[in-house]
Amino acid sequence: MNLVVNTPEDAIVSYARQLRQSGSDVVAESDLAKVFGRCKISSTLSSSFKTLVTQSNSNVSLLEGIMLQGGPGPTVTRAFRHSAYFAMVVQLSFLAWAFDCQELATVIADALRNRLEGDPSQSALSSTPDMLGILGVLHACELQTSAFDWNMMLDAVSVLLGYEKNILLRIISEPDEEDRMISSVRRVPARGYGITLFEDHIRQFFPGRKETKAIIQELQQVTFAFAIIIARNLDKLEAKSDINTNVTRMRNGMKYYVNEDRLLQALRFLFDNAHLSHEDIDGLVAKYSGRPLQETLPQPAALKSAAQVQPQTPSHDLGIEDNWHCACAHARDLSILAISLAHVTNPEDCGNLKFFDVGISSIREVALGQQLQDWNGRDALRITDDAWLQALAVPLAGYRTQLRNLPWHNICLISDRGWSAWISTLAQHGSEQHDPEQIKAGSITLSRGSPCRNGVWKSAIYDPSGSLQSWTNPNTAESYGQVAHLRCAKKVTLEKPDCSEGVGAFFVSARLRRHEALPGESPVMRIGYKKLERCLWMTQLSEPCGHGGRRAPADVKLGRGFATVAGFGHDAFRTAERILICLTAHS
């Protein structure tokens, strides 16, 4: 009989493993607790912090084996039991909310090292944690406490002291070096994000409250008009990847349609304005259609009126034009974001979502934003299947990531500060399975939580490289003159997905087992979820049948130009028939 006894050493190793899997570091946490743990947290803040963070705990299945995890992880769970660690978590949660974590980690590491080297007697540490260890702790605190809205605390302090929040949130890494100041990163509610952006811009030029309100009201309508014009000029562009050479080729596709009612709802959310309507912008759409949106367009009435009450000088007139030009640029940026939000399948769950209010101009780096820079207002704007996830990633996570450098052709999910956005084909297991006709390629789901597997937390899910394997070649089952019946000709079973780990991301592919396989063929097929979305991208659903209650007969004699197809494949199926019926019924 073997007796296994858990020793204190086993417990320490087990906890250290949990911390490392969550992205943190046991040594760095211990060192930081000695420094930040000396601060006393008020009972009021302590109570509200623990309550809100605990209530955010969630564990929702995303894929079999991968959960969407939110709320306290190992770092915060221990902090709730130990006062020094709790003080550290609260302070680092605030700092991570207000500043860029990478800059912050560098400054903290430098400060601790300088203190130890300058006067060891004044340092709580005998050695200092490195920058990467501190960064891991900051990210863990940021992720596991994201439900606590530090804006409320900052607003109260700002009012009490009589300073703007951007003045309060300044850290100078060296006492006499202003040029080494760490800039703050402000988070604002996604609902009303457009208002925040326009207010910050317009109030610099027109301090009058009444004028500002009227101008912003019209800029909402300008943004809506821009969004409608852009949406009506979109074409699909297909990215064809050769799995043998890994070369991607672009092919022009078909007209892309945006649901304008969903676009209206997205704009109402973006401006927190339930009264915005299509009737408000019909005239602007007619006025701006067919023209480059980056040229100097006619100014709205409120801006003209505000300009007339200001001193009339050449420099003032030039300032008005510059201000209007910048406002138009913001409107174009917001229109792209609005179209991406129109593709979110669950807007009702996004009430607590926060966006970063800096760097919205980075949306011009995505493919659609680049095209708008020199668009003539008439040609088609071509988009690929990743257009909307890219655009949404800008205010969600763009402040800390060079979005243009990410492998968007492989990205299924991107996560930041406890929120995740993922493509429509990703959650396709159990009760969440959908027929492809119910999935709109390009649509996005937004939710609290970050992908977690067996205690390991990541910030993204990618398709593996070369994730398409072992597909059969499709073949003609029946053709002209033959009798066909609806069936599943080649049955497959969806199994547990394959998953591996990379730096900051899981690599996941769907795994399908064929019921029948020819000798020498693998019975297992694998395909990435992004690849699945790309397969749907160039499809177009037909209009519903108008034949009332009539049912198609079980057997149909095929006419000229018709054929049925059995099997699966990634290569284009070549046949003389123009209308192909894929035999996937009841699968």
Side-chain angles (χ1 to χ4, degrees), residues 304-324:
K304 285 184 178 180
S305 175
Q308 289 172 358
V309 300
Q310 301 289 330
Q312 299 298 304
T313 65
S315 61
H316 172 263
D317 293 340
L318 182 60
I320 291 289
E321 287 296 328
D322 288 344
N323 187 60
W324 169 233

Side-chain angles (χ1 to χ4, degrees), residues 286-309:
K287 183 185 296 185
Y288 297 150
S289 290
R291 305 179 61 171
L293 298 184
Q294 72 277 10
E295 74 174 16
T296 303
L297 299 169
Q299 295 178 14
L303 186 61
K304 285 184 178 180
S305 175
Q308 289 172 358
V309 300

Side-chain angles (χ1 to χ4, degrees), residues 9 59 95 248 289 307 357 371 378 397 460 469 503 549 560 572 582:
E9 180 182 354
N59 197 15
L95 291 172
T248 300
S289 290
D357 74 334
Q371 291 179 72
R378 299 180 300 276
Q469 302 174 7
V503 178
R560 292 187 183 276
C582 296

Side-chain angles (χ1 to χ4, degrees), residues 172-387:
I172 301 175
S173 56
E174 296 291 342
D176 300 317
E177 297 185 25
E178 289 283 344
D179 59 331
R180 294 196 62 190
M181 182 178 295
I182 301 178
S183 57
S184 61
V185 181
R186 186 169 58 138
R187 292 175 171 90
V188 298
R191 183 184 297 277
Y193 176 73
I195 294 292
T196 302
L197 191 69
F198 281 137
E199 283 180 344
D200 289 347
H201 172 72
I202 296 299
R203 282 179 177 160
Q204 297 176 13
F205 201 82
F206 296 108
R209 183 175 180 179
K210 182 177 180 180
E211 293 169 344
T212 299
K213 184 176 181 180
I215 293 171
I216 290 176
Q217 183 71 28
E218 286 192 335
L219 289 177
Q220 295 179 48
Q221 298 170 4
V222 169
T223 304
F224 191 2
F226 283 3
I228 289 290
I229 292 168
I230 293 169
R232 291 176 181 176
N233 284 275
L234 297 176
D235 273 6
K236 292 182 180 180
L237 184 67
E238 183 179 23
K240 296 281 287 183
S241 298
D242 187 319
I243 62 170
N244 297 316
T245 63
N246 203 29
V247 174
T248 300
R249 298 180 178 87
M250 296 298 182
R251 180 171 69 88
N252 290 345
M254 59 189 72
K255 181 72 177 175
Y256 186 81
Y257 296 95
V258 176
N259 185 313
E260 293 187 3
D261 288 333
R262 293 186 65 89
L263 180 55
L264 172 60
Q265 295 305 316
L267 283 153
R268 286 177 172 176
F269 174 84
L270 203 55
F271 291 116
D272 196 18
N273 180 359
H275 303 293
L276 198 63
S277 68
H278 288 285
E279 290 74 18
D280 295 336
I281 53 97
D282 288 340
L284 289 175
V285 171
K287 183 185 296 185
Y288 297 150
S289 290
R291 305 179 61 171
L293 298 184
Q294 72 277 10
E295 74 174 16
T296 303
L297 299 169
Q299 295 178 14
L303 186 61
K304 285 184 178 180
S305 175
Q308 289 172 358
V309 300
Q310 301 289 330
Q312 299 298 304
T313 65
S315 61
H316 172 263
D317 293 340
L318 182 60
I320 291 289
E321 287 296 328
D322 288 344
N323 187 60
W324 169 233
H325 185 75
C326 291
C328 283
H330 286 319
R332 289 195 303 273
D333 298 339
L334 287 171
S335 65
I336 298 175
L337 180 58
I339 298 173
S340 71
L341 286 171
H343 289 77
V344 173
T345 60
N346 60 330
E348 66 281 357
D349 298 330
C350 301
N352 294 320
L353 178 65
K354 297 292 188 298
F355 281 160
F356 295 98
D357 74 334
V358 295
I360 184 61
S361 60
S362 296
I363 210 166
R364 301 167 202 173
E365 297 178 7
V366 306
L368 180 54
Q370 291 177 10
Q371 291 179 72
L372 286 177
Q373 298 304 305
D374 54 8
W375 184 48
N376 62 14
R378 299 180 300 276
D379 294 341
L381 295 162
R382 296 180 172 88
I383 57 170
T384 54
D385 52 284
D386 52 32

Side-chain angles (χ1 to χ4, degrees), residues 310-538:
Q310 301 289 330
Q312 299 298 304
T313 65
S315 61
H316 172 263
D317 293 340
L318 182 60
I320 291 289
E321 287 296 328
D322 288 344
N323 187 60
W324 169 233
H325 185 75
C326 291
C328 283
H330 286 319
R332 289 195 303 273
D333 298 339
L334 287 171
S335 65
I336 298 175
L337 180 58
I339 298 173
S340 71
L341 286 171
H343 289 77
V344 173
T345 60
N346 60 330
E348 66 281 357
D349 298 330
C350 301
N352 294 320
L353 178 65
K354 297 292 188 298
F355 281 160
F356 295 98
D357 74 334
V358 295
I360 184 61
S361 60
S362 296
I363 210 166
R364 301 167 202 173
E365 297 178 7
V366 306
L368 180 54
Q370 291 177 10
Q371 291 179 72
L372 286 177
Q373 298 304 305
D374 54 8
W375 184 48
N376 62 14
R378 299 180 300 276
D379 294 341
L381 295 162
R382 296 180 172 88
I383 57 170
T384 54
D385 52 284
D386 52 32
W388 311 128
L389 187 60
Q390 278 196 55
L392 192 57
V394 172
L396 188 67
Y399 82 101
R400 63 168 50 153
T401 304
Q402 289 293 327
L403 297 178
R404 72 172 79 179
N405 298 327
L406 295 180
W408 288 104
H409 62 287
N410 280 339
I411 294 180
C412 304
L413 176 149
I414 189 166
S415 182
D416 191 85
R417 194 173 166 80
W419 280 86
S420 294
W422 65 90
I423 60 176
S424 56
T425 52
L426 189 58
Q428 288 293 295
H429 281 74
S431 60
E432 294 299 318
Q433 292 187 51
H434 297 294
D435 190 278
E437 73 172 15
Q438 299 172 0
I439 298 173
K440 180 176 173 57
S443 60
I444 302 164
T445 303
L446 267 169
S447 183
R448 279 194 181 278
S450 299
C452 179
R453 177 176 179 262
N454 298 329
V456 178
W457 298 49
K458 299 291 183 181
S459 59
I461 293 178
Y462 291 178
D463 275 4
S465 299
S467 59
L468 186 60
Q469 302 174 7
S470 305
W471 289 82
T472 62
N473 290 321
N475 60 281
T476 300
E478 296 96 11
S479 57
Y480 170 61
Q482 295 180 308
V483 175
H485 64 275
L486 295 179
R487 65 194 186 280
C488 181
K490 300 287 185 180
K491 293 185 179 180
V492 297
T493 299
L494 185 63
E495 297 184 335
K496 184 177 181 178
D498 288 336
C499 182
S500 60
E501 294 178 23
V503 178
F506 293 118
F507 293 90
V508 183
S509 60
R511 179 184 173 98
L512 304 101
R513 182 173 295 276
R514 292 188 301 219
H515 290 202
E516 300 175 2
L518 296 175
E521 288 184 339
S522 170
V524 175
M525 301 181 293
R526 297 176 179 85
I527 184 170
Y529 289 92
K530 184 61 180 175
K531 178 68 176 179
L532 278 175
E533 183 186 51
R534 198 169 296 122
C535 291
L536 290 173
W537 177 246
M538 297 306 291

